[in-house]
Amino acid sequence: MTTHAALTDQGVLAHDPWASREIAHQQRADAFTAGWRARKISGEQHPIDDFLFTYYSYKPSILRRWHPGVGVELADAAHMPRAEWKWYVPGEAPGSLRVDAAAYLRAKGAGVTAIRRILERTAARPGQFSCFGLHEWAMVYRQGEHRHEVPLRLGQKGTDAVVDTHSIQCSHFDAYRFFTPQAAPLNRMRPTRESAPELEQPGCLHAGMDVYKWTIKLGPLVPGEVLLDAFELARDIRWLDMAASPYDVSEWGAEPIAIETSEGKAEYVRRQRDFAERSNELRRRVINALDAAERAGR
């Protein structure tokens, strides 16, 4: 956890400590995006890591931008480029800058409320751990063309057989909407965009990855360290998602998790439970940041 020992009682963070946090943040973000940036130049593709930059479509430069969060004034920042960033205004201390939570909430209050709602409701529900990642299998069920140009580990017939002999119970709309026409009726639920706050639960891998999406949408309200922790969680979840998928991704360093076996199911659930805990802890940190924004916006 990041220390805030340099923060005064007036909420002012001295220049050297916040500049050090900003540099550390940028270095960490650069490490996360280095592979993606190199592949953009070479034209190569990575079926696991590229997902976070194509499906969510947020530029790596956004990850580099560090924010202190609400309630912190950055000393000696008024003469720096940050002064031109949207949602920053002069603080009470001379030469300082702070995030203007009140203006942000006036402009984006409905979206913030919607994000809080889905985070709170997801975290409040018990996790479900019996899906075994079959959403990825349902996306290729009885189809000759697939989303990823990667061979199927069991071939098409073997993949279809796994779907036919398991119960599909996906609660996440953004996974369900990619089910093949033959697979969609097999799902025990019919999630929609509107029903997401009522169905999302912390055991869902895609709901865990989406904490990154919600965090990045909240922009300067959330400290940069939380954003990068959410990105790291999404990256780690994506590796499990593809390792347990029907695709053979061993070429990219992902050891397959054979969820069609009892051993594979047990390993999947073990990791799924860990991700559920990590995602809920991040949801709490984002909600705490929203609480601070609401207090400052009054």
Side-chain angles (χ1 to χ4, degrees):
M1 299 294 290
T2 301
T3 179
H4 297 273
L7 194 64
T8 70
D9 292 339
Q10 291 74 38
V12 179
L13 187 58
H15 177 268
D16 287 352
W18 75 253
S20 295
R21 284 174 60 186
E22 181 176 49
I23 292 170
H25 176 96
Q26 291 170 345
Q27 291 173 339
R28 186 181 175 200
D30 288 345
F32 283 150
T33 64
W36 165 256
R37 289 181 283 112
R39 287 189 296 275
K40 289 291 284 184
I41 296 172
S42 68
E44 298 177 44
Q45 294 183 336
H46 195 297
I48 304 176
D49 284 344
D50 288 355
F51 178 84
L52 298 180
F53 301 103
T54 55
Y55 180 75
Y56 289 118
S57 69
Y58 297 119
K59 296 179 180 179
S61 58
I62 297 178
L63 283 175
R64 278 192 109 245
R65 181 166 287 197
W66 175 78
H67 299 289
V70 176
V72 178
E73 293 189 11
L74 301 178
D76 304 322
H79 65 287
M80 305 186 75
R82 184 182 299 267
E84 303 301 319
W85 293 5
K86 195 171 184 179
W87 312 118
Y88 275 81
V89 295
E92 294 295 323
S96 70
L97 292 174
R98 65 174 176 84
V99 174
D100 190 345
Y104 190 97
L105 293 176
R106 284 195 299 271
K108 298 178 178 289
V112 172
T113 298
I115 292 173
R116 172 188 278 276
R117 182 182 178 215
I118 199 165
L119 290 173
E120 288 181 335
R121 294 193 177 190
T122 301
R125 292 192 183 93
Q128 303 298 313
F129 303 102
S130 56
C131 70
F132 306 122
L134 284 161
H135 56 277
E136 289 289 343
W137 298 68
M139 294 178 192
V140 299
Y141 180 64
R142 300 191 184 281
Q143 290 288 300
E145 296 183 2
H146 308 138
R147 295 179 64 206
H148 303 290
E149 295 181 3
V150 180
L152 298 178
R153 181 169 55 83
L154 302 179
Q156 189 65 59
K157 288 185 178 179
T159 298
D160 295 344
V162 171
V163 175
D164 288 334
T165 55
H166 285 76
S167 173
I168 311 298
Q169 40 192 308
C170 179
S171 59
H172 193 78
F173 171 70
D174 278 326
Y176 175 69
R177 68 189 178 98
F178 290 109
F179 281 22
T180 67
Q182 296 91 335
L186 303 178
N187 196 36
R188 291 174 56 186
M189 303 176 221
R190 297 292 181 269
T192 64
R193 185 79 66 196
E194 293 71 27
S195 68
E198 314 308 323
L199 292 179
E200 295 287 6
Q201 47 84 21
C204 173
L205 295 192
H206 278 256
M209 283 192 284
D210 278 351
V211 177
Y212 161 61
K213 175 178 71 174
W214 303 130
T215 302
I216 207 168
K217 281 179 176 290
L218 292 170
L221 299 188
V222 181
E225 292 83 359
V226 178
L227 171 61
L228 293 190
D229 285 351
F231 180 89
E232 185 172 23
L233 173 65
R235 181 203 62 184
D236 293 350
I237 289 176
R238 176 61 177 171
W239 275 80
L240 173 61
D241 199 32
M242 290 301 284
S245 78
Y247 298 105
D248 182 358
V249 288
S250 56
E251 179 182 344
W252 289 272
E255 186 69 25
I257 297 176
I259 56 90
E260 69 274 14
T261 68
S262 57
E263 295 82 4
K265 286 181 173 67
E267 177 63 13
Y268 183 89
V269 171
R270 183 187 69 79
R271 298 194 196 184
Q272 187 182 25
R273 289 184 181 277
D274 176 66
F275 288 139
E277 292 180 6
R278 285 175 62 185
S279 66
N280 268 348
E281 174 59 25
L282 274 166
R283 289 183 183 99
R284 284 188 285 271
R285 291 168 69 189
V286 176
I287 291 167
N288 288 342
L290 294 181
D291 288 342
E294 291 180 2
R295 288 193 297 269
R298 290 174 187 152

